[in-house]
């Protein structure tokens, strides 16, 4: 599945469960903030076609190695899976199964976030060469953080180094949780990012309490996303959801939290905050309920 600007909450669901998901979010937020000056700086940091091909060949080899190891894990864990009657296996899939992939991440950067850098004439479209190089730098950094694991540490450093050299934004993704033009969402982001044990416990409890009403969440979220689209706030919504990923990680929430509803609850709150002027009260209540219950 391709990631898209419209499906920002789905991208967030994946990044909320990834160990380095906040770093990916930081790279994507940098891409969203780019203008012509930033494109020039990013393009100037491009390692060159040959070096980039070498890094991607090494990345492909690392992924083949990882997949080969992953094929062995079900056998290693079969005894535990059987003892738990499959529950452990289900947990692993919920926590680790991605809805998108690295290729989808590249497409998001190159074709959707950088949609304004394409030169079009009729059915033909070509990306501005400077923007294409800038997209390479951003995509490589995002993909490296998306796939990062303890093995081959030098490879991950090499793939993120050009973005660091460009000085556009630190790849740790922990900067700037306040989102311009989204004050309501920003207050939620700050609270989630500073969550302590008491708040995390309260958030998990509330998510469990509203779980019987999850059938209402999808249509309410669809309505909120439609409102975001119609009001031309898609890029703002993507930025807010990515900031939500950073806050989620910084606040100490886990992959299990993300898998079992804590991220979806937060994503709904953030989306509703963006279109509170357009969303019917009934849908707004569904999406904002977790936040209202936690914050009082």
């Amino acid at each position: 599945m391709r990631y898209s600007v419209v499906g920002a909450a789905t991208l967030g669901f994946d990044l909320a469960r990834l160990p380095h998901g906040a770093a990916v979010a930081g790279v994507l937020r940098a891409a969203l903030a780019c203008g012509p000056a930033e494109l020039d700086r990013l393009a100037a940091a491009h390692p060159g076609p040959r070096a980039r091909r070498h890094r991607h060949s090494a990345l492909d080899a690392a992924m083949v190695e990882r997949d080969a190891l992953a094929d062995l894990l079900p056998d290693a864990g079969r005894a535990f899976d059987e003892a738990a009657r499959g529950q452990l296996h289900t947990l692993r899939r919920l926590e680790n199964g991605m809805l998108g992939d690295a290729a989808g991440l590249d497409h998001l950067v190159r074709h959707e976030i950088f949609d304004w850098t394409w030169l079009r004439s009729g059915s033909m479209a070509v990306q501005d060469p400077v923007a294409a190089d800038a997209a390479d730098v951003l995509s490589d950094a995002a993909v490296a953080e998306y796939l990062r694991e303890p093995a081959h540490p030098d490879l991950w450093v090499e793939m993120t180094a050009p973005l660091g050299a460009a000085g556009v934004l630190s790849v740790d993704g922990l900067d700037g949780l306040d989102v311009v033009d989204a004050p309501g969402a920003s207050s939620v982001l700050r609270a989630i990012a500073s969550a302590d044990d008491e708040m995390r416990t309260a958030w998990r409890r509330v998510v469990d309490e509203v779980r019987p009403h999850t059938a209402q969440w999808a249509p309410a979220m669809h309505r909120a996303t439609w409102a975001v689209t119609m009001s031309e706030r898609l890029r703002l919504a993507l930025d807010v959801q990515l900031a939500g990923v950073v806050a989620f990680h910084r606040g100490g929430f886990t992959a299990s939290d993300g898998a079992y509803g804590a991220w979806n609850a937060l994503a709904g709150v953030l989306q509703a905050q963006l279109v509170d002027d357009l969303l019917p009260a009934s849908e707004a209540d569904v999406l904002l309920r977790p936040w209202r219950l936690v914050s009082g």
Side-chain angles (χ1 to χ4, degrees), residues 20-285:
H20 300 277
V24 180
V27 175
L28 297 178
R29 294 190 75 198
L32 278 168
C34 279
E38 287 76 20
L39 294 188
D40 288 341
R41 289 161 62 185
L42 287 162
H46 195 287
R50 179 177 297 180
R52 187 169 185 263
R53 283 195 300 270
H54 173 75
R55 291 171 187 176
H56 277 260
S57 294
L59 178 64
D60 290 342
M63 292 303 98
V64 169
E65 179 182 314
R66 185 180 72 173
D67 291 344
L69 178 61
D71 287 342
L72 300 176
L73 293 180
D75 291 331
R78 184 174 299 162
F80 296 101
D81 290 345
E82 291 175 352
R85 297 183 181 178
Q87 293 179 12
L88 182 60
H89 178 66
T90 301
L91 176 63
R92 286 174 180 159
R93 291 191 63 183
L94 283 170
E95 291 185 5
N96 301 321
M98 295 293 103
L99 299 177
D101 56 26
L105 202 59
D106 177 83
H107 184 273
L108 175 68
V109 172
R110 198 173 303 279
H111 292 275
E112 297 208 26
I113 294 179
F114 274 12
D115 62 343
W116 58 278
T117 68
W118 287 79
L119 310 175
R120 293 180 169 86
S121 177
S123 61
M124 299 293 292
V126 178
Q127 192 167 33
D128 174 82
V130 172
D133 283 349
D136 284 347
V137 171
L138 286 161
S139 174
D140 286 357
V143 167
E145 299 293 357
Y146 186 88
L147 299 174
R148 181 184 284 257
E149 55 188 23
H152 313 288
D154 292 345
L155 174 59
W156 315 123
V157 172
E158 288 178 6
M159 292 189 68
T160 58
L163 177 57
V168 174
L169 181 74
S170 172
V171 296
D172 66 8
L174 299 179
D175 299 326
L177 283 179
D178 286 332
V179 179
V180 177
D181 297 327
S186 293
S187 64
V188 176
L189 291 168
R190 289 193 297 271
I192 293 295
S194 61
D196 54 15
D197 287 341
E198 182 178 353
M199 183 172 185
R200 283 190 294 272
T201 299
W203 189 259
R204 291 161 183 155
R205 184 186 67 251
V206 163
V207 168
D208 285 339
E209 289 175 358
V210 302
R211 200 180 306 281
H213 305 288
T214 51
Q216 301 172 355
W217 184 89
M221 190 64 169
H222 177 78
R223 184 67 176 267
T225 302
W226 176 84
V228 164
T229 303
M230 292 298 101
S231 59
E232 299 185 352
R233 301 174 197 176
L234 277 173
R235 292 177 72 89
L236 176 61
L238 176 59
D239 194 32
V240 167
Q241 293 290 338
L242 292 169
V245 171
V246 177
F248 193 83
H249 281 271
R250 188 189 288 183
F253 292 93
T254 67
S256 293
D257 291 323
Y260 286 104
W263 166 257
N264 282 348
L266 176 59
V269 170
L270 295 174
Q271 199 84 322
Q273 292 281 3
L274 281 181
V275 287
D276 58 351
D277 57 327
L278 300 173
L279 200 59
S282 57
E283 278 87 358
D285 181 66

